[in-house]
Amino acid sequence: MTMAVDALTGGFADAPVESARAFRAVMQALARPGRIETVTGAAPPAPMSVAAGVLLLVLADGTTPVHLAPSHDLPGLRDWLTFHCGCPLVAPEQAVFAVGTWPALQPITRFPVGTPEYPDRSTTLIVERPDLMLGTPALLTGPGIRGEAGLHLPDLAALSANHAQFPLGCDLFFTAGDRLAGLPRSTKVEAL
Amino acid sequence: MSETAYNFGYLDEQTKRMIRRAILKGLAVPGYQVPFASREMPMPYGWGTGGVQVTAACLTPEDRLKVIDQGADDTTNAVSIRSFFQRTAGVAVTGATRDATLIQTRHRIPEAALTEDQILVYQVPIPEPLRFIEPRETETRKMHSLQEYGLMHVKLYEDIARHGQIATSYAYPVAVEGRYVMDPSPIPKFDNPKLNDCPAIQLFGAGREQRIYALPPYSKVVSLDFDDHPFVASKADHACDLCGSGVSYLDEVIVDDQGGRMFVCSDTDYCGARVAAGQRGRLSPPEAA
């Protein structure tokens, strides 16, 4: 079995400091839904975005099974994740993280939403988007938002259904290029 | 061994990833206690190991760190944690609330209003608000999942039956976003209103009990009470004897063995800044001529 050479590159050059800075951006994005953060430091193989690569470098390791949706289940990407994160690649039902385009991740109801006693045991979805400014404009309200915020989302019905399960549900990051936005399950999503 | 022999922020990267995942889940489910694999830290349990681990997972080299222990920047716990992060993360430190980007606190919220650019990390001894009512973790977990918080109101009611008022004065339980009942750590109930609608991210770390929980900015945090016994954010009925402030939380200090006492601001930065600005209290030294 051979591994593509580019699987060995594209990680953080200075992991402790770069992942610390990236985590702060990730945390701000999830704590303040609607805010778009820019991150740097990862260079994953196509079609994975820089932002999705950074998210996985910061959060995924051998203890976090990752599901690659068909859009991202490619040999080069499998090798890159295996080398840099060491994460097991699994089916949706076992995933702690899942990466893919919105259509490739469907139906998102396959992913664990946690249990009433342990709502933290749910999948975090990393949704790759062509542009964070494309999609249906949505009005966001809930924790982390002063008044209301806005974000362009792929599918309001599915995301509303996800929120309706609170405190269960998936948490989402939307990524495009080096930009990312967070949508925790606590956020109420409505059409603008 | 030199400080550079440690990883940035002391903890190894896998530990930080695990803590970071717990923080994100905590932010997604405000008030819910996320279990995490708390590590041995080079300080004893009870000295803020939970807060230290959360701070270590959040710090960047650009941060300016403030550490307070019951409001004071200059007490043992605050001094040792501050110097720990100076040595292991090389971050700048400050005593001024306004200048800090990350504040680790033991049992106080600063008097100065926090901003969107700040993170407040609490050291938590017992994260479970129901623990003194129900000792079994399996049961308290079920009570949280069913939102079964009647016992908590019974405890507050027993206060009223015995003392005529809600006598709980610190670690006063709160309801977060109408869902989870949360222990705000042993802050005085005077500080409870500051938990609500706070622009800063608030993170809570309990090292010995291995729990992390969080309040996203602008979360709705309500102190539990009764219609006929509403929550009151009480403080000692005095003004600060050093700076004259009538609105800050006060510590009572015994000054002799004749029953003499003075009241001073618990927040040393707040009090010091007021004194520096020329404010005077009852026991301030006379103005130099």
Side-chain angles (χ1 to χ4, degrees):
Chain A
M1 190 175 123
T2 57
M3 184 181 261
V5 173
D6 61 1
L8 307 182
T9 60
F12 287 137
D14 181 3
V17 169
E18 284 184 271
S19 58
R21 290 183 185 130
F23 172 69
R24 284 287 279 273
V26 169
M27 177 166 71
Q28 292 289 356
L30 195 71
R32 303 174 193 276
R35 176 189 284 218
I36 293 174
E37 293 277 346
T38 304
V39 291
T40 57
M48 186 177 276
S49 66
V50 170
V54 166
L55 273 167
L56 289 166
L57 288 181
V58 170
L59 298 171
D61 56 33
T63 64
T64 58
V66 172
H67 171 69
L68 287 176
S71 61
H72 284 61
D73 192 10
L74 303 164
L77 209 43
R78 285 174 158 259
D79 288 348
W80 189 81
L81 277 178
T82 304
F83 178 75
H84 290 281
C85 302
C87 49
L89 299 173
V90 297
E93 291 75 17
Q94 285 97 48
V96 171
F97 294 99
V99 199
T101 61
W102 183 253
L105 287 166
Q106 299 306 310
I108 63 164
T109 48
R110 293 175 296 168
F111 296 100
V113 293
T115 65
E117 275 87 14
Y118 293 95
D120 54 303
R121 295 180 182 172
S122 67
T123 307
T124 301
L125 305 179
I126 300 171
V127 183
E128 296 266 44
R129 315 222 47 214
D131 190 326
L132 295 183
M133 294 301 160
L134 294 177
T136 315
L139 186 70
L140 312 181
T141 50
I145 301 167
R146 183 182 207 175
E148 55 195 43
L151 195 63
H152 289 75
L153 298 175
D155 181 349
L156 298 194
L159 294 169
S160 289
N162 183 54
H163 165 71
Q165 305 176 82
F166 186 88
L168 306 187
C170 295
D171 306 309
L172 299 96
F173 287 100
F174 297 101
T175 53
D178 60 356
R179 286 147 52 92
L180 62 88
L183 189 74
R185 67 192 89 172
S186 58
T187 301
K188 189 176 176 195
V189 178
E190 292 165 290
L192 197 59
Chain B
M1 188 156 66
S2 77
E3 287 80 10
T4 51
Y6 290 110
N7 190 26
F8 173 75
Y10 183 77
L11 293 172
D12 61 278
E13 288 305 297
Q14 181 158 356
T15 299
K16 284 195 243 174
R17 277 193 294 271
M18 174 269 296
I19 294 170
R20 286 167 179 163
R21 290 193 296 264
I23 291 172
L24 293 182
K25 287 298 175 192
L27 286 165
V29 191
Y32 165 73
Q33 304 161 50
V34 184
F36 82 111
S38 179
R39 300 295 196 245
E40 290 278 346
M41 297 301 285
M43 59 193 74
Y45 286 133
W47 285 72
T49 53
V52 165
Q53 290 177 78
V54 170
T55 298
C58 289
L59 272 185
T60 67
E62 295 75 35
D63 272 315
R64 189 173 293 274
L65 176 70
K66 171 181 166 78
V67 185
I68 51 174
D69 174 3
Q70 302 214 322
D73 292 280
D74 53 2
T75 48
T76 312
N77 200 195
V79 169
S80 60
I81 291 172
R82 194 162 53 234
S83 80
F84 174 75
F85 282 116
Q86 280 180 288
R87 291 172 59 180
T88 59
V91 292
V93 297
T94 180
T97 302
R98 209 176 17 158
D99 297 340
T101 56
L102 195 152
I103 304 172
Q104 180 170 334
T105 175
R106 174 177 175 272
H107 308 181
R108 268 318 303 280
I109 299 174
E111 302 289 350
L114 301 178
T115 69
E116 288 208 343
D117 300 320
Q118 296 178 312
I119 297 171
L120 186 59
V121 176
Y122 296 76
Q123 302 171 198
V124 183
I126 308 287
E128 177 51 71
L130 304 166
R131 183 61 68 234
F132 292 105
I133 306 168
E134 169 53 67
R136 290 167 294 181
E137 170 71 12
T138 48
E139 291 302 305
T140 53
R141 197 158 275 285
K142 199 167 289 170
M143 290 159 77
H144 281 294
S145 75
L146 298 172
Q147 213 173 341
E148 176 51 68
Y149 295 127
L151 267 183
M152 190 51 102
H153 278 97
V154 170
K155 177 177 178 282
L156 296 176
Y157 170 73
E158 284 181 351
D159 267 8
I160 296 169
R162 287 165 64 187
H163 307 291
Q165 57 176 331
I166 298 177
T168 303
S169 58
Y170 65 94
Y172 192 102
V174 295
V176 180
E177 291 284 341
R179 180 57 182 84
Y180 284 95
V181 164
M182 185 190 98
D183 182 331
S185 88
I187 57 172
K189 68 176 169 185
F190 174 82
D191 283 341
N192 271 28
K194 298 183 210 160
L195 294 161
N196 181 50
D197 203 31
C198 175
I201 294 176
Q202 301 177 79
L203 304 174
F204 299 76
R208 179 183 45 214
E209 302 290 322
Q210 314 201 321
R211 295 289 184 276
I212 285 171
Y213 50 107
L215 294 173
Y218 307 112
S219 292
K220 283 196 286 293
V221 182
V222 179
S223 303
L224 301 182
D225 62 1
F226 299 97
D227 289 345
D228 53 346
H229 283 88
F231 171 81
V232 179
S234 59
K235 66 183 270 290
D237 191 15
H238 291 268
C240 173
D241 286 332
L242 294 181
C243 76
S245 172
V247 295
S248 69
Y249 188 73
L250 300 173
D251 288 337
E252 183 178 0
V253 183
I254 306 296
V255 292
D256 56 32
D257 57 2
Q258 309 296 314
R261 65 188 60 186
M262 66 185 294
F263 289 89
V264 295
C265 294
S266 132
D267 186 331
T268 53
D269 169 54
Y270 173 83
C271 195
R274 280 178 56 87
V275 170
Q279 304 283 346
R280 290 291 177 270
R282 184 177 65 94
L283 298 177
S284 294
E287 300 283 342

